Amino acid sequence: MKRLFIFLGAAAITALTPCNINAQRSNATLKTAFKDTFYIGTAMSLPQIYGKDRKSVEIIKKQFSSIVAENCMKSMFLQPEEDKFFFDDADKFVAFGEKNNMFIIGHTLIWHSQLPKWFFTEKDGRDVSPEVLMQRMKNHITTVVSRYKGRVKGWDVVNEAIMEDGSYRKSKFYEILGEDFIPLAFQYAHEADPDAELYYNDYNEWYPGKVATVIKMVKDIKARGIRIDGVGMQAHVGMDTPSVSEYETAISAYAQSGVKVNITELDISALPSPWGTSANVSDKIAYDEKMNPYKKGLPADVQAGWEKRYEDFFRLFLKHKNSIRRVTLWGVTDSQSWKNDFPIKGRTDYPLLFDRQYRTKPVVGKIIQLTKEK
Ligand code: 9MR
């Protein structure tokens, strides 16, 4: 109890820093502060989409100009069985975005993860042929993109297909169709909605090998006359890695290849990382108390370091605002964040901009302040 009191006291003190007070007094929100810069977005969970998490919904309407579904538009949910589509959740999500005048993003059409089992297999269990896989990809993409034509403004067409060393991920898509599955997916998406922006999205997209292959892929797609508008850098980052300059090098390289950069899944973990910044969801590590040190709140020095990290990244995004189309946080409050369970299940992390009590963290005022600096 005493500890809880100290923690709440510390939270109250940090909540009253001058920047935060200014932000509150001026009624400044992220959405208004970034109005002329880039879209500022968040991922939405099902309780938010259905309005059950009311306090988060209030924050979303007030603070964000763009939304993406955290899970409900992934293929295992949209097409759990072949040709049996389930659109209830996605429809609700898109309706929310339209009602609130938001730039709506579809995530994600082709991804090796959260994919229904039937996608790659024949009834007898064998892998499908390249022709059948192309047909299934086309059917999935065409059905989904056409349904939201003109309403979902941008699609993460392909997600996480390249490894850090620049090699292609050995997914079933790759095994069966080779590198061609990527341009094909973009082609199908473009045919279904010629006006939609189309993106390639991935994590750790600052590793030089990965940067080189993604740029080669972008150029190849463009050379075939197929539309690609942007590269989505997920930005699940930690306290130490990557460095801001590594990130900057990657942003500049993508921009020079003729596409926009989206910062798509931003969260900054305050916890020790067992390996760096992977977001490969199949990587799991056993729980260890030592790796969960801040169950009752962040110590002041860690809090300060974490805030600085957010400021450094936003300063970088603002510097490259002409190349950046959107910055999207991967969720609203810390309690929603996947980082509490990744890569170690059951930890208490603080990666987002709103705390577990739905309060605006002081760093939001500091980020808003950065937009006013010349
Ligand atoms: O945040 C999502 C989490 O709720 C899901 O359990 C997880 C399952 O794969 O996917 C998370 O979102 C991922 C995103 O779709 C793609 N990039 C990595 C994200 C974190 O795993």
Side-chain angles (χ1 to χ4, degrees), residues 70-71 74 107-108 111 113-114 159-160 201 203 234 236 265 279 281 330 338:
E70 185 173 359
N71 284 301
K74 295 171 181 173
H107 173 83
T108 172
W111 187 24
S113 184
Q114 290 186 288
N159 200 37
E160 301 174 7
N201 192 51
Y203 61 84
Q234 291 185 7
H236 298 294
E265 303 181 14
V281 281
W330 203 237
W338 74 295

Side-chain angles (χ1 to χ4, degrees), residues 267-373:
D267 48 31
I268 302 184
S269 174
L271 297 183
S273 164
W275 62 52
T277 55
S278 168
N280 189 6
V281 281
S282 59
D283 296 339
K284 294 266 156 61
I285 286 178
Y287 184 83
D288 173 353
E289 272 306 312
K290 281 203 298 293
M291 299 302 275
N292 190 19
Y294 313 130
K295 280 179 271 187
K296 305 252 188 288
L298 292 180
D301 59 331
V302 179
Q303 169 78 19
W306 178 87
E307 287 189 3
K308 180 170 181 308
R309 194 90 170 119
Y310 255 107
E311 286 182 86
D312 288 348
F313 272 100
F314 268 95
R315 207 174 277 113
L316 176 71
F317 301 153
L318 284 162
K319 179 176 169 194
H320 290 272
K321 63 182 180 193
N322 292 337
S323 309
I324 292 180
R325 178 91 171 115
R326 167 171 59 98
V327 174
T328 291
L329 279 294
W330 203 237
V332 180
T333 70
D334 288 337
S335 53
Q336 173 191 352
S337 176
W338 74 295
K339 290 301 296 177
N340 294 304
D341 289 312
F342 183 87
I344 300 172
K345 206 167 165 47
R347 297 198 297 174
T348 307
D349 204 347
Y350 303 84
L352 294 171
L353 299 181
F354 301 87
D355 71 14
R356 286 176 166 76
Q357 284 74 39
Y358 302 91
R359 288 177 306 207
T360 308
K361 293 189 187 177
V363 75
V364 171
K366 296 181 181 177
I367 290 169
I368 289 172
Q369 196 58 34
L370 291 177
T371 66
K372 298 178 182 152
E373 288 170 10

Side-chain angles (χ1 to χ4, degrees), residues 165-179:
D165 65 1
S167 63
Y168 277 68
R169 181 187 293 277
K170 305 296 175 283
S171 70
K172 282 280 176 195
F173 288 114
Y174 180 80
E175 276 177 25
I176 298 172
L177 286 171
E179 296 177 12

Side-chain angles (χ1 to χ4, degrees), residues 119-339:
F119 215 97
F120 300 119
T121 40
E122 294 287 6
K123 289 204 172 58
D124 63 8
R126 278 180 304 129
D127 277 359
V128 291
S129 64
E131 292 71 28
V132 171
L133 182 55
M134 279 163 64
Q135 184 48 41
R136 288 182 181 182
M137 282 174 54
K138 184 168 188 180
N139 186 37
H140 183 77
I141 293 172
T142 308
T143 308
V144 173
V145 174
S146 309
R147 186 176 185 91
Y148 301 113
K149 188 170 180 213
R151 301 165 69 200
V152 167
K153 303 294 184 193
W155 287 96
D156 288 338
V157 178
V158 175
N159 200 37
E160 301 174 7
I162 311 292
M163 307 304 285
E164 280 82 348
D165 65 1
S167 63
Y168 277 68
R169 181 187 293 277
K170 305 296 175 283
S171 70
K172 282 280 176 195
F173 288 114
Y174 180 80
E175 276 177 25
I176 298 172
L177 286 171
E179 296 177 12
D180 273 358
F181 85 89
I182 299 179
L184 278 173
F186 279 83
Q187 182 193 319
Y188 300 149
H190 182 58
E191 284 164 4
D193 185 352
D195 293 329
E197 293 184 9
L198 305 180
Y199 319 122
Y200 173 76
N201 192 51
D202 211 330
Y203 61 84
N204 280 351
E205 250 181 324
W206 46 273
Y207 273 80
K210 196 159 185 157
V211 175
T213 303
V214 171
I215 287 176
K216 192 167 169 293
M217 184 185 82
V218 165
K219 290 189 171 155
D220 175 53
I221 291 173
K222 282 175 175 275
R224 294 185 195 203
I226 299 170
R227 178 168 182 167
I228 177 166
D229 298 87
V231 163
M233 300 181 74
Q234 291 185 7
H236 298 294
V237 303
M239 291 287 264
D240 305 312
T241 49
S243 70
V244 172
S245 75
E246 281 169 322
Y247 222 78
E248 177 162 32
T249 306
I251 290 177
S252 303
Y254 292 131
Q256 269 163 28
S257 77
V259 284
K260 287 279 181 188
V261 175
N262 297 317
I263 306 298
T264 53
E265 303 181 14
L266 176 61
D267 48 31
I268 302 184
S269 174
L271 297 183
S273 164
W275 62 52
T277 55
S278 168
N280 189 6
V281 281
S282 59
D283 296 339
K284 294 266 156 61
I285 286 178
Y287 184 83
D288 173 353
E289 272 306 312
K290 281 203 298 293
M291 299 302 275
N292 190 19
Y294 313 130
K295 280 179 271 187
K296 305 252 188 288
L298 292 180
D301 59 331
V302 179
Q303 169 78 19
W306 178 87
E307 287 189 3
K308 180 170 181 308
R309 194 90 170 119
Y310 255 107
E311 286 182 86
D312 288 348
F313 272 100
F314 268 95
R315 207 174 277 113
L316 176 71
F317 301 153
L318 284 162
K319 179 176 169 194
H320 290 272
K321 63 182 180 193
N322 292 337
S323 309
I324 292 180
R325 178 91 171 115
R326 167 171 59 98
V327 174
T328 291
L329 279 294
W330 203 237
V332 180
T333 70
D334 288 337
S335 53
Q336 173 191 352
S337 176
W338 74 295
K339 290 301 296 177

